[in-house]
Amino acid sequence: MKINEYQKLAMRTASKESKEDLLLNGALGLSGETEEVADYIKKYLFQGHSLKEEDLIEELGDICWYIAIMAEGLGVDLESVMEGNIDKLRTRYPQGFDRERSINHNIGDGSNFPKV
């Protein structure tokens, strides 16, 4: 499946009432889903639970869904969002990850991302 195809398919199950609804639903949903991922990892690392990879994979899918509807609310396709992120990382780390550049990087103004 292509990235932008995923976004279109995700929209089948999204509340499409308004741009604001998509943004708010996406932001709140991302917050909840990332908390679930953090809780799985916390329980695995600190409470002796087994790592349930299938559960984490399912949560990652939920996170993708919320990212897709937020992108839709912003009027941008996921491929453009991802390309902008890679461009930013190439600028920040031209030779690949570097600890010193990570510590001292100057967060850009987002100019590598598509304008909406």
Side-chain angles (χ1 to χ4, degrees):
M1 173 184 307
K2 305 285 184 189
I3 299 299
N4 291 338
E5 179 185 358
Y6 175 86
Q7 184 176 357
K8 288 177 186 168
L9 292 171
M11 289 307 300
R12 289 180 49 255
T13 55
S15 170
K16 302 177 199 175
E17 294 179 24
S18 71
K19 170 184 176 173
E20 290 77 17
D21 288 340
L22 292 172
L23 293 174
L24 186 56
N25 189 11
L28 295 174
L30 277 172
S31 177
E33 296 299 334
T34 55
E35 186 280 328
E36 288 185 48
V37 168
D39 199 49
Y40 278 115
I41 299 300
K42 175 199 70 176
K43 288 178 179 179
Y44 170 66
L45 290 176
F46 300 108
Q47 298 174 1
H49 292 231
S50 62
L51 182 62
K52 298 178 182 173
E53 292 181 11
E54 62 280 355
D55 290 346
L56 281 173
I57 291 167
E58 185 176 323
E59 298 303 332
L60 290 177
D62 293 343
I63 289 168
C64 289
W65 187 88
Y66 285 111
I67 291 170
I69 70 165
M70 280 195 79
E72 189 75 22
L74 291 168
V76 65
D77 62 75
L78 283 175
E79 187 171 348
S80 296
V81 171
M82 296 167 102
E83 286 173 348
N85 182 253
I86 293 299
D87 289 345
K88 177 184 78 172
L89 293 172
R90 282 186 179 133
T91 300
R92 188 173 292 166
Y93 304 109
Q95 305 301 318
F97 180 76
D98 178 289
R99 184 178 303 235
E100 184 65 29
R101 287 183 72 94
S102 175
I103 293 168
N104 296 307
H105 83 275
N106 182 8
I107 299 196
D109 61 358
S111 60
N112 293 328
F113 290 91
K115 302 296 182 216
V116 292

